[in-house]
Amino acid sequence: MILTVPVKGVFWTNCYFYADENTGHCFIIDPGAQGQKLIDTAWSNGWVINKILITHGHFDHTGGISEIRKKISPPVYAHELGRLYLTDTTKNLSRLCGQNVIVQDVNYLHDGDIITLSSNHSLRVIHTPGHTEDSITLYDAGKGIAFVGDTIFKGSPGSDKYPGGNTSDLRNSIRKILALPERTVLYSGHSEPTTVKDEHRLASSIT
Ligand SMILES: [Zn+2]
């Protein structure tokens, strides 16, 4: 199941739990703030947090990790280019917002990697740069869901205006996401869920 937990740091960000209720194991995706609230959420559901996955290195998607690590130590995973953001407070935008968010001890992912939670829960890594160089989409084809970070929102494309942003990469990445099956539900960092079908109109606006 997917549980959305909005968290508030400098901004509101959608943090997601990707959980297998049968095994009681879950991944946390983009713990942007309020780490203790996320631990409490897992524990109140009886879930063990197996891994923390981040869709890209902006601090509003990683700012809760240090608080989580004070209590438990699930391994953290990001795209290999995440190293450009996670330890650079200018690139990860935390300095701009008066914060100092650094994330170390990260395991790096590559396009095409499969991250397995349980026998019937796994996510495929699709590298979708453009908003940042390290942006990834985490896709579960069987369940028809994708965590898209800030690459695409309900009704609008992501921004390419931050360090490492790139207009043509973003366009290609959005095309890649919109090439998934129409019924795929897209879970973004800062909007309501949407579907590939509902965002097809974006394809014409970005060409
Ligand atoms: Zn972002």
Side-chain angles (χ1 to χ4, degrees):
M1 71 166 291
I2 311 300
L3 176 65
T4 307
V5 181
V7 290
K8 176 78 163 58
V10 176
F11 311 111
W12 281 100
T13 300
N14 290 327
C15 172
Y16 297 103
F17 286 82
Y18 173 80
D20 182 339
E21 291 173 292
N22 291 323
T23 63
H25 288 263
C26 71
F27 294 155
I28 293 186
I29 300 170
D30 287 349
Q34 296 185 281
Q36 186 60 51
K37 171 176 160 179
L38 298 173
I39 291 174
D40 292 345
T41 300
W43 288 356
S44 68
N45 283 282
W47 296 338
V48 174
I49 301 167
N50 278 32
K51 291 178 171 63
I52 293 172
L53 312 179
I54 57 181
T55 60
H56 63 293
H58 280 160
F59 82 106
D60 57 325
H61 294 252
T62 66
I65 291 174
S66 62
E67 198 169 293
I68 292 173
R69 282 176 157 173
K70 285 179 190 161
K71 298 281 177 64
I72 54 174
S73 356
V76 175
Y77 289 76
H79 185 265
E80 58 182 325
L81 293 175
R83 69 181 80 235
L84 302 173
Y85 292 83
L86 297 170
T87 57
D88 182 332
T89 57
T90 299
K91 282 198 89 162
N92 71 32
L93 306 179
S94 61
R95 183 201 299 257
L96 186 70
C97 296
Q99 312 270 308
N100 181 38
V101 176
I102 299 272
V103 183
Q104 290 174 317
D105 298 325
V106 174
N107 302 281
Y108 289 110
L109 299 165
H110 306 87
D111 185 66
D113 283 353
I114 305 288
I115 315 163
T116 300
L117 175 65
S118 64
S119 59
N120 58 351
H121 284 70
S122 62
L123 295 167
R124 178 157 61 89
V125 176
I126 306 173
H127 187 211
T128 46
H131 173 63
T132 60
E133 291 145 280
D134 69 330
S135 288
I136 53 174
T137 289
L138 297 163
Y139 177 48
D140 179 335
K143 295 185 176 47
I145 58 173
F147 301 96
V148 296
D150 291 355
T151 298
I152 182 170
F153 301 113
K154 183 179 174 68
S156 67
S159 171
D160 57 7
K161 302 289 184 270
Y162 301 111
N166 181 291
T167 305
S168 68
D169 284 352
L170 182 65
R171 199 178 284 145
N172 289 337
S173 292
I174 289 174
R175 283 204 195 99
K176 217 187 273 188
I177 291 168
L178 296 182
L180 297 173
E182 283 200 331
R183 66 183 175 87
T184 308
V185 180
L186 306 178
Y187 293 93
S188 82
H190 306 280
S191 75
E192 296 290 308
T194 185
T195 63
V196 167
K197 184 170 189 220
D198 284 346
E199 300 309 326
H200 265 151
R201 63 186 179 276
L202 268 187
S204 52
S205 73
I206 59 164
T207 50

